């Protein structure tokens, strides 16, 4: 009987070890630099995951004062049921917050292959400002415990944020959403900033919950966007918001 128990423990232990494994963020970047796909499940990712400083970083845009460096991720990046203890960075401006800067240098990351952060937990800030996602992108079932920034982000396929929880501010300002974007059953516990966002294709906010300030000022919707069951329990701003090119309001959008 003791032998049988020992064998069973040996069979179970690798699974337990795997479920609790820790991966350093630097090793993820090393895999990308070596052109190796990233596939990590049930792990804690430690350190800052910085996609903006790859070996293939290139100077893309510059003028007399400003420079923009782009790192390009050419392999699929998949995280499932992972916890990120540090920041996740697709945009970095070392001069952010400084005054009287004459020369600005910005670092960005673009993604050519699929990106999946599904059922993950982000303990620190996440920023993909100005990033370009050229393939399928999903954050389904994930939880952002600090600010999540997707300002000016370009999605070539409808991003999936289904059943996501945003504990703090979620910024999607100026995003032009492609068809099949999905915010169904998403919970915005902090401010939700969709100012100037474009929803010109079919997509979903069905069952989404906005518990704090919801800013859709100057946003543009079409009838194919589903907002059935969406709730707004905090303040909201739909000034200059349009539906099929006519001015609209929250009540019409939810009940159309």
């Amino acid at each position: 009987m003791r032998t049988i128990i020992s064998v069973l423990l040996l069979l179970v232990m690798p699974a337990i070890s795997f479920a609790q494994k820790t991966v350093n963020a630097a090793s993820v970047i090393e895999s990308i630099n070596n052109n190796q796909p990233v596939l990590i499940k049930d792990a804690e990712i430690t350190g800052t995951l910085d996609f903006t400083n790859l070996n293939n970083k290139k100077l893309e845009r510059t003028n007399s004062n400003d420079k923009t460096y782009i790192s390009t991720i050419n392999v699929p990046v998949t995280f499932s049921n992972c916890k990120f203890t540090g920041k996740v960075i697709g945009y970095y401006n070392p001069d952010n917050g400084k005054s009287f800067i004459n020369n600005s240098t910005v670092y960005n990351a673009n993604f050519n292959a699929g990106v999946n952060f599904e059922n993950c937990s982000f303990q620190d800030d996440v920023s993909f400002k100005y990033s370009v996602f050229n393939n399928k992108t999903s954050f389904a079932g994930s939880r952002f415990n600090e600010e999540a920034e997707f300002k000016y982000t370009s999605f070539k396929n409808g991003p999936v944020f289904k059943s996501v929880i945003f504990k703090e501010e979620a910024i999607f300002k100026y995003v032009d959403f492609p068809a099949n974007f999905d915010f169904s059953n998403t919970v915005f516990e902090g401010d939700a900033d969709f100012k100037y966002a474009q929803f010109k294709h079919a997509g979903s906010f069905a069952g989404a919950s906005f518990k704090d300030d919801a800013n859709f000022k100057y946003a543009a919707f079409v009838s194919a966007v589903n907002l059935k069951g969406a709730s707004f329990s905090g303040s909201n701003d739909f000034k200059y918001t349009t539906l099929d090119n006519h001015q609209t309001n929250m009540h019409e959008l939810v009940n159309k």
Side-chain angles (χ1 to χ4, degrees):
M1 183 65 177
R2 183 173 299 174
T3 303
I4 294 174
I5 293 174
S6 298
V7 171
L8 289 173
L9 286 173
L10 287 172
L11 291 172
V12 172
M13 283 177 64
I16 294 174
S17 175
F18 178 77
Q20 297 177 340
K21 72 178 180 181
T22 299
V23 177
N24 191 287
S27 67
V28 176
I29 299 304
E30 182 179 2
S31 294
I32 294 172
N33 281 327
N34 291 328
N35 209 35
Q36 298 173 343
V38 175
L39 177 57
I40 301 176
K41 182 179 180 181
D42 301 319
E44 181 176 285
I45 314 301
T46 60
T48 298
L49 182 54
D50 185 0
F51 293 105
T52 70
N53 194 28
L54 300 183
N55 291 344
N56 64 15
K57 178 178 63 183
K58 292 182 179 179
L59 179 62
E60 292 287 327
R61 297 190 304 274
T62 183
N63 55 39
S64 58
N65 296 317
D66 303 318
K67 295 180 180 179
T68 300
Y69 289 91
I70 304 292
S71 291
T72 304
I73 295 85
N74 293 309
V75 295
V77 174
T78 301
F79 294 94
S80 178
N81 195 35
C82 290
K83 178 181 179 180
F84 295 83
T85 62
K87 293 183 179 181
V88 178
I89 298 175
Y91 167 86
Y92 175 62
N93 180 354
D95 298 322
N96 189 34
K98 298 180 181 179
S99 301
F100 308 108
I101 300 298
N102 293 321
N103 298 292
S104 178
T105 301
V106 172
Y107 300 87
N108 263 110
N110 294 338
F111 299 81
N112 286 335
V115 176
N116 290 280
F117 290 88
E118 296 190 339
N119 300 310
C120 291
S121 173
F122 301 93
Q123 303 301 112
D124 209 330
D125 293 344
V126 174
S127 180
F128 289 103
K129 184 179 179 180
Y130 290 106
S131 286
V132 178
F133 292 87
N134 285 306
N135 214 304
K136 293 181 179 180
T137 306
S138 177
F139 289 86
S142 291
R143 178 187 179 98
F144 295 83
N145 289 297
E146 297 294 337
E147 182 180 272
E149 184 176 30
F150 293 87
K151 185 178 180 180
Y152 292 108
T153 303
S154 176
F155 298 101
K156 302 305 180 183
N157 290 268
V160 178
F161 288 91
K162 182 177 181 179
S163 299
V164 165
I165 297 175
F166 293 100
K167 297 291 292 183
E168 298 294 336
E169 187 173 17
I171 306 170
F172 291 90
K173 197 173 179 179
Y174 295 105
V175 175
D176 188 349
F177 286 92
N180 301 316
F181 68 88
D182 192 355
F183 286 93
S184 60
N185 299 313
T186 296
V187 178
F188 298 88
E189 294 190 4
D191 293 350
D193 189 353
F194 288 90
K195 191 176 181 181
Y196 294 103
Q198 301 290 300
F199 305 97
K200 295 295 188 70
H201 307 277
S204 181
F205 279 99
S209 177
F210 297 86
K211 296 186 176 184
D212 208 329
D213 182 39
N215 189 348
F216 285 89
K217 191 175 181 179
Y218 295 103
F221 289 85
V222 294
S223 295
V225 178
N226 181 7
L227 285 96
K228 291 181 179 179
S231 62
F232 297 82
S233 54
S235 60
N236 60 80
D237 190 348
F238 285 83
K239 189 175 182 180
Y240 306 118
T241 305
T242 61
L243 173 62
D244 296 331
N245 297 317
H246 72 266
Q247 194 162 331
T248 189
N249 53 53
M250 181 189 72
H251 180 78
E252 181 182 23
L253 286 168
V254 174
N255 295 283
K256 62 181 174 58

